[in-house]
Amino acid sequence: MTNTKGHFIVFEGIDGCGKTTQISLLKKRIEQNGARCFETKEPSDGPVGSMIRQCLTGRIKVDESTLAALFAADRLDHINNTTDGLSIKINDGINVISDRFILSTYAYQSVRVPLDWVMNMNSLAASLLKPDYHIFIDVEPDITLERMSKGRFHTELFENKKRLTEVRNRYFELIDKLKDTENIIIIDGNQGIDDISEEIWSKVSHLFK
Ligand code: TYD
């Protein structure tokens, strides 16, 4: 009986960058190595996450600082809730992959709300759970918007070129700002699906061997 903790890998990038496909490929590879893996996302499926989805589609109207606070609250619930919180899973030895985590709030919300305030509000979550790796899949907004126009669920709030360009710039600023404290891997998301998957595996596979 070992009590090894699970690893925690998060995927980041602007809307439509291809995270979903890569997350399922990585999960398969981790499981092929005989390890357990749980896939999750933010906004989460919890109560605050459901409220956030209604804000993103315009069903509920809130200002952007309130939305930033909701993302921080959703993250704490995602980590701490006693039913299926990430802390419990990771302590049980389950590897977790999350579609978005703390860098998403820093990048998306700091376009309209001061970054320091956003970081302060997320400081508890940051101290509770630190990703082994943040994988940032980089694709230009023109390309992701073109992909997204070919049919899928839309969140009205952020899926426009100006905002996505600002968010992408924020990601690059953050990657530089956090380079000494966070393990952030930048992947060129313009490559083919299999090449991206290989590159990601070459960086993280050591965790599962
Ligand atoms: P979602 O439909 O999950 O989009 P995607 O598949 O592109 O990730 O909606 C998530 C949206 O919420 C997306 O536009 C990014 C945004 N978001 C934030 O603004 N801040 C955050 O902290 C998170 C987790 C997501």
Side-chain angles (χ1 to χ4, degrees):
M1 181 79 189
T2 62
N3 62 352
T4 315
K5 283 189 174 190
H7 294 290
F8 183 44
I9 297 178
V10 304
F11 278 70
E12 294 286 350
I14 62 171
D15 303 55
C17 70
K19 292 180 274 87
T20 316
T21 309
Q22 292 302 327
I23 288 170
S24 56
L25 290 171
L26 178 59
K27 179 171 188 279
K28 255 190 220 148
R29 295 188 99 144
I30 292 171
E31 288 171 342
Q32 279 162 1
N33 269 260
R36 289 182 294 168
C37 185
F38 176 76
E39 183 183 333
T40 186
K41 62 176 188 290
E42 292 189 357
S44 76
D45 289 332
V48 188
S50 314
M51 191 185 289
I52 290 173
R53 287 187 191 283
Q54 296 185 60
C55 299
L56 292 172
T57 55
R59 172 75 181 76
I60 300 177
K61 301 255 178 279
V62 291
D63 77 289
E64 294 221 23
S65 59
T66 307
L67 184 59
L70 289 176
F71 277 117
D74 182 44
R75 183 156 302 119
L76 286 168
D77 179 57
H78 194 202
I79 296 170
N80 285 334
N81 86 74
T82 50
T83 312
D84 64 350
L86 300 187
S87 289
I88 296 176
K89 291 190 190 304
I90 289 171
N91 284 329
D92 276 354
I94 300 173
N95 299 291
V96 173
I97 308 177
S98 184
D99 186 339
R100 303 193 178 281
F101 193 59
I102 213 156
L103 287 188
S104 283
T105 311
Y106 295 173
Y108 279 79
Q109 274 58 62
S110 73
V111 173
R112 293 290 153 75
V113 182
L115 177 62
D116 285 353
W117 183 77
V118 173
M119 290 182 91
N120 276 335
M121 205 160 31
N122 280 276
S123 60
L124 182 58
S127 68
L128 288 170
L129 188 55
K130 186 177 161 76
D132 291 275
Y133 287 109
H134 308 254
I135 298 173
F136 173 68
I137 302 186
D138 183 40
V139 183
E140 284 182 18
D142 277 337
I143 296 171
T144 68
L145 285 165
E146 162 74 18
R147 285 181 190 169
M148 288 190 287
S149 69
K150 293 186 178 143
R152 51 160 247 178
F153 167 77
H154 289 278
T155 66
E156 289 164 21
L157 202 52
F158 301 135
E159 290 182 1
N160 63 76
K161 184 171 175 184
K162 183 165 178 288
R163 184 70 186 245
L164 289 183
T165 303
E166 285 173 319
V167 171
R168 179 169 178 251
N169 292 339
R170 293 288 158 148
Y171 267 119
F172 280 113
E173 285 163 22
L174 287 160
I175 288 168
D176 188 52
K177 185 180 170 80
L178 301 174
K179 62 179 182 302
D180 296 330
T181 50
E182 299 292 327
N183 292 324
I184 306 175
I185 298 170
I186 304 175
I187 302 283
D188 176 359
N190 298 301
Q191 309 172 75
I193 289 174
D194 292 341
D195 292 333
I196 296 176
S197 171
E198 275 306 319
E199 190 179 342
I200 293 171
W201 186 240
S202 74
K203 309 273 187 194
V204 306
S205 57
H206 69 96
L207 297 174
F208 307 101
K209 286 178 176 159

